[in-house]
Amino acid sequence: MQALQIFSVIPKLPPSLESLWLLAYNYWFAWNDELEQLFADIDPDLWLKSEKNPVWMLNHVPQTRFDALKADRFYGERLNLLVASLRNYTSAPSPHLFEDVPPGSPAIAYFSLEFGVSLCLPIYSGGLGMLAGDHLKSASDLNVPLVGIGFAYAQGYFRQYMTPDGWQQERYPDYDFEQMPLQRALTPQNELAKVYLAIGDRPLVAQIWLAKVGRINLYLLDTNIAENPPEFRQITSRLYGGNLEMRVWQEILLGIGGVKALRVLGLSPQVIHMNEGHSAFAGLERVRVLMQEERLPFEVALELAAAGSIFTTHTPVPAGNDRFPPSLMQQYFETYARSMGLAFKVFMALGRENPQDDREEFCMTVLALRLSRFNNGVSKLHGKVSRKMWHRIWGQFPMEDVPIGSITNGVHAPTWVAPDLGRLYNRHLGSNWREDPDTVRVWRQAATIPDTELWRTHERLRARLVEFVRVRMHAQLTAQGARSSDLQIVESILNPDTLTIGFARRFATYKRARLLTQDMDRLLRIVHDADRPVQFIFAGKAHPNDQGGKQLIKELISLFRTDALRLHMVFLEDYDMEIAAHLISGCDVWLNNPRRPLEACGTSGMKAMFNGVLQFSTLDGWWDEAWKPDNSLGWAIGKGEDYEDPAYQDAVELQTLYKVLESDIIPEFYDRGRNNIPSSWVRRMKDALVEFGPRFHSHRMVQEYLATSYIPACRIHANLYRDDFASSRELSAWRMQLMTKWGDVRITDVTSQTATTLYVGQSVTVTARVFLADIPPEYIRLEIYSGTLGQDDSFADRTLRTMEPDGPTSDGWQRYKGTLPAEQTGRLGFTVRAMPVHPSLPIPHSLGLIRWAEQ
């Protein structure tokens, strides 16, 4: 039996409370403590039950409560002040000017398969989504004209629960978007926005939801509608669910459908930012649209699209990058390639490291790298790892010249700082610390926080964490049918005055969740120390298909349930933003021990840092560039060594972990003065806030994207668009001519007028003869490539110095001359190279053309 008609029944708010809906439908509440408290004060229990979802809560508050609340004058004044604050916040004009972008229009579209914006928008799984959510929030606070593109997952990422023996199980709730802070997006004609595209030769329709994230609009595609067949309705069902074919469908929808969605919504951002390779098809779709609508050749359209594209890679291992077999690509892209006038083999070459290998799979990361002129990893070390991973694409270049830079991730402090600490920061950092773009000035003031205030606040947060863990553990054990005696013990687990170490992350093998437990004698000794005990809290999920990760969790839980450890070590199930918020604010130390260099960045430690939690980590990801040898801001496991034998690495680093823990961390935590405050420890907390606060804030990260990628890309893109794409056509023609002539460029007779020994401060004059192959000199840059040499005569480092034309030779070649200074002692070597340059080419390396001097 089905209903003849369907109605949406909503509560009738008194006129004085109607503006609660305005606040409820903007995720600004996710980083505004006053606003969250405003909703919590309506009904604290219902607020927690709603998982901090104001729309669901308002729809379930008894009408009598609203009737009573309208008489509360103080509540009404708070409501009006917050509504005024939100309106002032969202109506402020953007200070960032982009060429040819009208005020109020987005300049950048940010594509991501997941976004971690709020607990009540469950479209995230881990670090990638958290980073994307923080990116949007900082873009909002900094008033950057940006929109987000993602998916509205009907079941999100899985919710984790454990069987009585500790084996991970997954459940997938069905989310009701009508009960979430989401609205149906509208076209400029005020119609419901829908996207129409094809998956192979079959039509697909997606409706679009709008999530307001402060000043930022996040548009989410949803295929769970009647127009689609059952299998296509599943495309936006689960994050990272389904088989390889489902992943292709999802990435077609995100990339191609995302670009179409922008057009349906009447938006035309000049720049796209692809957060990981999942959205790389967006670059292809932009090329196809330019070819069809502007009648541009493929080469011209590619240059134009790539000039306005940014790509961020997050994956430091080859297996973590999406790859699709040729047969699957042919099934879904042969017609698409034909619509672009490309032979399928040429199309496939766009996603292959070796374009000539017809057996190689199609890699989304390779496609994104080829279709972007601004590429970056997410930490300095990850940038280096990425250049090594993708060196084959630019095989003629030295590793350090592969055009993949690095912009280290940051986290959105207002989201992750605990409310208690936030109020402390209000007093000592200034009330505008949440939005102030001058993060250096803001966090410098952390040094003025009195030790007593900071430490007492931290102790309250640790006590609150212990209480939270006890409540969660009681619920976990009750759900598993635990005995009453086991439930009674829960009231005694952990101690609010004990050194507390947190370990929470995805349970992938390389993160080594069991490293600590490999020496049980030392572990038992430190947790049972009567005078200086230690306790540990673990949390995290294994991918549903990762049986090894699930086994790892099971082993840990079994170990933690033993009589020796059950009061001192716990595992919290269903790790999410709520658990994370308690852990990163209540722990004393954040433990992270991945195998270097497999952690791209690792932002959970940054979140903990903003709450005064000290770091203890291998030198991987962000900690590799943050840690100092004097260990004044935290502790390192090892010195950044690289190992070939993982077992040997584990053994060495296990010993280092315990040595630092026993000799440095534990004694310093328990070294108390007369006021029972660990002065040295608190000094570390404040020093970390002063130094790391500006460096690892997502405000800094977004500002770096603005300066190095967004604004340059927009400027170049606007220039290429002008005068009927004249610059684009000229650039494409130049590139084609260059490709045909470049093979004839030669560099010979490289000489230096000096002896074999130099003193520091002396210079060498370097000359060379160059055959330009009819390429105008302004389009070729000649450089001295120099550096100190290792024992095998390879370059240990490198410096580039430009050489200038010094007149033609009698045989039609060109002389070049440059100066090479000897700036440090050691063995100095050099060679000479030529590269093509063009005013509209932001990164010369992207062409993959280089010529080295002949021996």
Side-chain angles (χ1 to χ4, degrees):
M1 178 70 68
Q2 290 187 327
L4 294 176
Q5 287 186 307
I6 299 175
F7 302 93
S8 294
V9 180
I10 62 174
K12 182 174 177 56
L13 271 63
S16 61
L17 301 179
E18 276 287 342
S19 52
L20 280 170
W21 290 117
L22 176 69
L23 299 178
Y25 276 100
N26 192 311
Y27 282 94
W28 193 49
F29 64 76
W31 70 97
N32 188 303
D33 300 334
E34 290 182 76
L35 185 49
E36 181 176 319
Q37 192 60 50
L38 184 81
F39 286 116
D41 286 347
I42 297 175
D43 187 326
D45 293 335
L46 200 59
W47 178 244
L48 293 177
K49 183 179 179 181
S50 75
E51 297 191 323
K52 299 183 178 180
N53 178 348
V55 172
W56 186 93
M57 193 191 75
L58 290 179
N59 282 327
H60 289 78
V61 171
Q63 192 67 45
T64 53
R65 176 56 180 149
F66 286 129
D67 293 338
L69 203 60
K70 71 179 179 181
D72 187 336
R73 184 171 59 84
F74 179 61
Y75 188 89
E77 291 174 354
R78 291 167 58 202
L79 171 60
N80 293 336
L81 282 173
L82 285 167
V83 168
S85 295
L86 177 59
R87 285 176 171 154
N88 289 337
Y89 177 85
T90 55
S91 63
S94 174
H96 308 287
L97 300 178
F98 291 81
E99 285 193 56
D100 294 348
V101 177
S105 298
I108 307 111
Y110 184 92
F111 289 71
S112 183
L113 203 58
E114 53 175 301
F115 286 91
V117 174
S118 168
L119 181 68
C120 68
L121 186 62
I123 58 171
Y124 63 90
S125 70
L128 180 69
M130 293 297 101
L131 180 278
D134 284 1
H135 195 110
L136 295 193
K137 292 172 184 177
S138 274
S140 174
D141 287 342
L142 298 171
N143 210 344
V144 176
L146 178 148
V147 296
I149 299 290
F151 286 171
Y153 295 102
Q155 297 181 324
Y157 198 52
F158 73 91
R159 305 301 298 264
Q160 178 194 55
Y161 69 98
M162 302 300 173
T163 61
D165 66 347
W167 188 258
Q168 173 182 295
Q169 296 288 304
E170 298 86 31
R171 62 183 179 87
Y172 293 89
D174 288 312
Y175 295 108
D176 183 357
F177 298 150
E178 300 286 354
Q179 294 285 340
M180 296 167 67
L182 296 174
Q183 298 167 295
R184 295 182 189 273
L186 301 176
T187 69
Q189 294 75 36
N190 212 34
E191 299 172 346
L192 291 179
K194 289 188 177 181
V195 177
Y196 297 84
L197 66 156
I199 299 289
D201 58 356
R202 301 172 65 194
L204 173 69
V205 186
Q207 63 182 351
I208 308 174
W209 295 89
L210 168 62
K212 291 182 177 292
V213 185
R215 297 179 174 113
I216 302 298
N217 284 344
L218 169 59
Y219 294 103
L220 303 173
L221 306 181
D222 171 21
T223 64
N224 188 22
I225 54 179
E227 291 98 317
N228 292 320
E231 63 272 24
F232 280 2
R233 296 183 69 163
Q234 297 299 311
I235 292 177
T236 57
S237 176
R238 297 178 180 179
L239 175 59
Y240 304 131
N243 57 19
L244 199 61
E245 186 173 43
M246 175 61 75
R247 180 60 64 87
V248 172
W249 293 355
Q250 288 184 327
E251 297 187 355
I252 290 173
L253 176 62
L254 179 63
I256 298 175
V259 170
K260 289 179 177 291
L262 291 169
R263 294 164 66 84
V264 167
L265 296 164
L267 305 175
S268 53
Q270 294 189 358
V271 174
I272 64 169
H273 185 170
M274 297 175 282
N275 189 42
E276 194 56 286
H278 309 127
S279 55
F281 291 140
L284 272 180
E285 178 65 6
R286 296 223 300 171
V287 172
R288 188 193 67 80
V289 169
L290 285 166
M291 292 178 67
Q292 292 195 350
E293 296 189 357
E294 305 297 341
R295 299 293 186 262
L296 296 177
F298 172 74
E299 294 78 11
V300 176
L302 187 147
E303 280 301 333
L304 185 58
S309 296
I310 291 97
F311 170 57
T312 298
T313 176
H314 293 258
T315 311
V317 290
N321 296 270
D322 286 341
R323 296 176 186 269
F324 302 122
S327 58
L328 193 62
M329 289 298 296
Q330 186 167 16
Q331 180 180 353
Y332 291 108
F333 280 94
E334 188 168 34
T335 301
Y336 190 90
R338 195 179 305 123
S339 73
M340 300 174 70
L342 297 179
F344 187 69
K345 181 176 181 177
V346 175
F347 176 89
M348 288 292 291
L350 292 170
R352 286 171 167 159
E353 294 179 67
N354 179 5
Q356 310 304 320
D357 184 357
D358 293 344
R359 296 169 301 176
E360 184 181 331
E361 293 187 319
F362 190 94
C363 177
M364 295 296 286
T365 302
V366 174
L367 177 65
L369 289 169
R370 287 219 166 94
L371 295 181
S372 301
R373 294 294 174 257
F374 301 86
N375 303 305
N376 68 276
V378 291
S379 68
K380 290 180 180 178
L381 179 59
H382 181 232
K384 181 179 178 181
V385 170
S386 297
R387 288 189 288 275
K388 182 177 180 180
M389 279 179 62
W390 306 110
H391 185 213
R392 275 215 304 166
I393 302 175
W394 295 275
Q396 297 185 66
F397 284 86
M399 201 85 69
E400 58 268 25
D401 285 343
V402 170
I404 303 176
S406 65
I407 295 180
T408 302
N409 283 343
V411 300
H412 187 247
T415 293
W416 298 107
V417 168
D420 290 48
L421 267 176
R423 288 187 284 272
L424 185 65
Y425 293 165
N426 288 343
R427 294 198 297 273
H428 297 283
L429 275 60
S431 59
N432 195 41
W433 67 269
R434 290 172 169 81
E435 295 176 40
D436 196 326
D438 188 354
T439 52
V440 174
R441 182 192 61 76
V442 166
W443 292 98
R444 187 187 300 130
Q445 297 173 96
T448 67
I449 301 175
D451 289 4
T452 303
E453 287 191 55
L454 182 59
W455 185 246
R456 297 304 180 219
T457 302
H458 178 69
E459 286 191 311
R460 286 198 305 274
L461 292 170
R462 190 193 314 116
R464 197 168 296 155
L465 169 62
V466 170
E467 180 59 27
F468 174 81
V469 170
R470 289 172 178 174
V471 171
R472 281 295 184 114
M473 290 299 296
H474 192 281
Q476 284 180 210
L477 293 174
T478 299
Q480 295 166 11
R483 297 171 300 181
S484 58
S485 57
D486 292 328
L487 294 176
Q488 290 175 357
I489 291 175
V490 168
E491 299 305 318
S492 303
I493 64 171
L494 306 183
N495 185 322
D497 298 319
T498 292
L499 171 60
T500 304
I501 299 177
F503 182 97
R505 52 198 26 90
R506 182 166 54 89
F507 268 70
T509 306
Y510 76 87
K511 294 180 183 284
R512 298 190 296 183
R514 282 216 63 182
L515 182 65
L516 180 77
T517 65
Q518 297 309 302
D519 190 334
M520 285 302 301
D521 289 340
R522 294 175 88 171
L523 177 61
L524 290 171
R525 190 162 60 244
I526 65 173
V527 300
H528 288 291
D529 189 303
D531 298 319
R532 302 186 305 185
V534 184
Q535 58 195 13
F536 297 86
I537 304 173
F538 281 64
K541 296 177 177 180
H543 188 279
N545 297 329
D546 183 2
Q547 302 305 311
K550 291 183 178 183
Q551 180 63 31
L552 187 59
I553 293 175
K554 182 177 184 297
E555 292 171 1
L556 280 176
I557 291 176
S558 297
L559 184 63
F560 296 171
R561 286 176 176 172
T562 60
D563 291 339
L565 292 176
R566 66 191 310 175
L567 299 181
H568 313 282
M569 301 185 75
V570 298
F571 181 92
L572 292 179
E573 68 181 39
D574 203 23
Y575 184 45
D576 61 8
M577 292 180 75
E578 179 74 1
I579 292 177
H582 282 83
L583 286 176
I584 62 170
S585 62
C587 289
D588 300 294
V589 174
W590 198 254
L591 176 63
N592 186 29
N593 44 240
R595 285 199 181 94
R596 172 188 164 102
L598 300 180
E599 186 83 277
C601 185
T603 55
S604 63
M606 298 178 189
K607 300 178 181 81
M609 174 273 298
F610 274 108
N611 287 279
V613 177
L614 299 180
Q615 308 298 307
F616 184 29
S617 174
T618 50
L619 294 181
D620 201 5
W622 78 284
W623 193 237
D624 179 69
E625 62 193 80
W627 180 78
K628 290 185 174 181
D630 64 4
N631 83 345
S632 61
L633 302 172
W635 298 273
I637 302 171
K639 298 180 180 179
E641 303 92 342
D642 293 322
Y643 297 84
E644 293 185 2
D645 182 352
Y648 179 70
Q649 179 179 5
D650 290 354
V652 171
E653 293 184 345
L654 175 63
Q655 297 306 310
T656 303
L657 188 157
Y658 272 104
K659 180 180 179 182
V660 174
L661 195 56
E662 295 167 336
S663 303
D664 298 331
I665 296 177
I666 297 174
E668 186 167 328
F669 179 83
Y670 286 105
D671 181 16
R672 307 297 175 93
R674 287 187 301 175
N675 56 3
N676 199 33
I677 292 177
S679 299
S680 177
W681 190 280
V682 175
R683 185 172 61 251
R684 287 182 190 269
M685 293 168 68
K686 295 200 292 188
D687 288 348
L689 290 171
V690 169
E691 179 157 339
F692 295 158
R695 291 174 59 189
F696 301 108
H697 198 304
S698 52
H699 283 14
R700 184 276 311 157
M701 175 187 71
V702 171
Q703 287 171 325
E704 197 168 339
Y705 274 111
L706 274 168
T708 65
S709 303
Y710 292 167
I711 292 175
C714 198
R715 183 179 62 247
I716 294 168
H717 190 268
N719 180 60
L720 293 174
Y721 247 88
R722 291 193 183 102
D723 301 322
D724 192 29
F725 309 99
S727 295
S728 298
R729 298 177 193 275
E730 188 271 329
L731 177 61
S732 179
W734 169 84
R735 179 175 179 171
M736 295 301 293
Q737 291 179 2
L738 192 77
M739 292 287 191
T740 60
K741 296 178 179 179
W742 190 256
D744 296 327
V745 173
R746 295 181 61 196
I747 306 171
T748 64
D749 300 333
V750 176
T751 60
S752 59
Q753 289 76 39
T754 187
T756 57
T757 300
L758 291 170
Y759 294 102
V760 173
Q762 284 187 309
S763 296
V764 179
T765 298
V766 178
T767 60
R769 292 176 72 245
V770 182
F771 181 67
L772 299 179
D774 293 328
I775 299 173
E778 62 267 29
Y779 293 135
I780 289 186
R781 178 188 297 153
L782 214 69
E783 296 172 322
I784 303 170
Y785 186 103
S786 65
T788 54
L789 301 179
Q791 293 183 346
D792 61 353
D793 288 344
S794 62
F795 287 98
D797 52 49
R798 70 103 161 87
T799 300
L800 301 174
R801 299 188 183 277
T802 302
M803 302 179 72
E804 301 295 337
D806 193 39
T809 64
S810 59
D811 56 359
W813 288 46
Q814 176 75 46
R815 281 193 301 269
Y816 278 78
K817 183 168 67 175
T819 302
L820 172 61
E823 297 176 326
Q824 60 184 21
T825 59
R827 299 173 64 235
L828 176 69
F830 78 91
T831 185
V832 173
R833 73 179 190 185
M835 290 184 59
V837 292
H838 190 281
S840 297
L841 193 68
I843 302 177
H845 305 72
S846 61
L847 294 182
L849 299 177
I850 194 169
R851 181 68 66 215
W852 295 94
E854 298 175 9
Q855 298 289 338

